[in-house]
Amino acid sequence: MLQAMITELDLQKDYLHDTALQSVYLGGGTPSLLRQEELNRLFEKIHALFEVAADAEICLEANPDDLTEAYLEELAEGPINRLSIGIQSFFAEDLAFMNRAHDAEQALRCIPLAQAAGFYNLTVDLIYGVQALSDERWKSNLQRVFDFGVPHISSYCLTVEPGTALDHFVRKKKVQPVNEMQSARQFEILMEEMAAHGYDHYEISNFAKPGHYARHNANYWLGVPYLGIGPSAHSFNGESRQWNIAHNAKYLKALQNGQPAFEREELSPAERYNEYVMTSIRTIWGCRLDKLEALGGDFARYFQQQAAPFMKDAKIQEADGVFSLTRAGKLLADKIAMELFWVA
């Protein structure tokens, strides 16, 4: 797999048109299974093919059970300068319900271990809306992160994906479906607690202390081109998007034959409008009228027409030609985005 990804880097070296890389993000599966010598092979190829900015954010997604003292010391000797840790919860019951590999003790231990190894630029993932997660336990999860001094938090509502074990248990009525009222209430608690502790709510699911916004995430929502390498990886250059085959064996076979393993879609003006609206309306930077006008056609007028009911209901606000969600609107972000989409 590693060699296939290195081959893909060679094949895709011109995709970003010699732009200096501001961010390198290793995520998707479980990249914390890689040893430092394996990571070094990837980064040797990246540096051979691309200019990497001196202050580039180089982030590794990691499971708490992988972050041993020895592994963290190994990582600290390499190029990784940020860790994204999938905590999800500090409570054993929640972790068991979500079928996580780590336990509550590992969740508690990994953050101070990472900090002791010199990783202070951290983000952790937390999930709310879990069946047995009371509001008090949710506040306790948040307080743990505050106490550790973690500067960035990504937090998501539990969702039931088709075909998963959780989906099976819900359909068999062994587990209650996600309670929308509980999820909304805990999202409001999340916003309140984050604001009280000095975090900016810069995207629906992301909160950061000033100066600690995730560069990788922010660039995605700001429409900066990116290249994805590996099975299922997505790429975007502003005019088209492409996605790699998700099947590992087929991906490997294609790359072993020196062939790219992706499908590409050229974006129509309407799709570029929808892409911009979908990503921008979720953020602190909002949806800019001048960018909509630059797309040509009737997009700016259409957006204002579709946004008008939500502005009347105080779900969308506007300042100097920038439209963004109010706190009430953030509870309905996906619904609002869909109403703003151009439908042919």
Side-chain angles (χ1 to χ4, degrees), residues 4 10 14 35 45 52 72 76 78 87 98 110 132 137 172 174 205 210 248 256 273 277-278 284 330 339:
D10 274 319
D14 297 324
R35 309 309 303 178
K45 176 57 68 173
V52 181
L72 284 161
I87 298 285
M98 291 183 278
C110 66
R137 284 213 335 224
K172 293 293 183 180
K174 294 181 179 180
S205 302
N248 282 7
Q256 285 164 357
Y273 163 86
V277 168
M278 177 183 68
I284 197 172
K330 290 173 182 176
E339 293 295 328

Side-chain angles (χ1 to χ4, degrees), residues 199-230:
Y199 290 77
D200 294 339
H201 191 181
Y202 74 98
E203 192 273 338
I204 291 297
S205 302
N206 287 271
F207 303 79
K209 289 291 182 73
H212 289 277
Y213 293 14
R215 192 178 302 176
H216 172 80
N217 294 352
N219 284 349
Y220 168 77
W221 292 305
L222 289 169
V224 176
Y226 55 87
L227 170 65
I229 297 294

Side-chain angles (χ1 to χ4, degrees), residues 159-180:
T159 56
V160 181
E161 297 292 343
T164 61
L166 182 55
D167 177 45
H168 172 77
F169 292 142
V170 169
R171 285 189 287 106
K172 293 293 183 180
K173 299 185 179 180
K174 294 181 179 180
V175 171
Q176 293 295 315
V178 174
N179 185 311
E180 292 186 3

Side-chain angles (χ1 to χ4, degrees), residues 54-255:
D55 65 342
E57 175 188 280
I58 302 177
C59 186
L60 178 81
E61 281 189 3
N63 287 342
D65 44 309
D66 293 330
L67 295 180
T68 62
E69 186 174 357
Y71 185 58
L72 284 161
E73 288 176 356
E74 189 179 317
L75 285 181
E77 296 175 358
I80 304 298
N81 56 31
R82 185 175 187 267
L83 295 177
S84 175
I85 308 176
I87 298 285
Q88 316 308 349
S89 176
F90 293 101
F91 290 96
E93 301 94 321
D94 300 334
L95 296 172
F97 176 79
M98 291 183 278
N99 199 30
R100 302 297 298 182
H102 65 279
D103 58 32
E105 182 181 348
Q106 290 168 324
L108 286 167
R109 190 173 64 234
C110 66
I111 296 174
L113 280 177
Q115 292 167 331
F119 291 102
Y120 296 100
N121 192 8
L122 298 173
T123 180
V124 303
D125 287 358
L126 294 175
I127 290 182
Y128 58 92
V130 176
Q131 184 180 21
L133 183 66
S134 68
D135 292 351
E136 288 309 309
R137 284 213 335 224
W138 176 227
K139 290 178 182 178
S140 178
N141 271 337
L142 295 172
Q143 190 59 50
R144 290 278 192 186
V145 178
F146 301 147
D147 291 343
F148 283 128
V150 175
H152 188 287
I153 297 172
S154 296
S155 191
Y156 306 95
C157 180
L158 178 71
T159 56
V160 181
E161 297 292 343
T164 61
L166 182 55
D167 177 45
H168 172 77
F169 292 142
V170 169
R171 285 189 287 106
K172 293 293 183 180
K173 299 185 179 180
K174 294 181 179 180
V175 171
Q176 293 295 315
V178 174
N179 185 311
E180 292 186 3
M181 290 183 64
Q182 175 197 4
S183 297
R185 188 173 65 250
Q186 291 182 351
F187 182 52
E188 292 193 90
I189 290 171
L190 174 67
M191 290 191 286
E192 290 170 3
E193 292 295 317
M194 289 297 171
H197 287 82
Y199 290 77
D200 294 339
H201 191 181
Y202 74 98
E203 192 273 338
I204 291 297
S205 302
N206 287 271
F207 303 79
K209 289 291 182 73
H212 289 277
Y213 293 14
R215 192 178 302 176
H216 172 80
N217 294 352
N219 284 349
Y220 168 77
W221 292 305
L222 289 169
V224 176
Y226 55 87
L227 170 65
I229 297 294
S232 299
H234 283 59
S235 303
F236 172 75
N237 66 5
E239 297 179 355
S240 69
R241 55 178 165 229
Q242 61 192 49
W243 53 96
N244 285 355
I245 191 169
H247 193 284
N248 282 7
K250 292 179 180 178
Y251 170 85
L252 288 171
K253 184 177 181 180
L255 270 300

Side-chain angles (χ1 to χ4, degrees), residues 34-46:
L34 294 173
R35 309 309 303 178
Q36 186 59 57
E37 58 268 23
E38 294 170 318
L39 290 170
N40 286 344
R41 285 181 61 197
L42 272 179
F43 280 100
E44 284 170 8
K45 176 57 68 173
I46 289 169

Side-chain angles (χ1 to χ4, degrees), residues 288-299:
R288 299 177 58 91
L289 197 59
D290 58 349
K291 289 197 173 185
L292 294 171
E293 290 169 344
L295 290 172
D298 210 23
F299 294 121

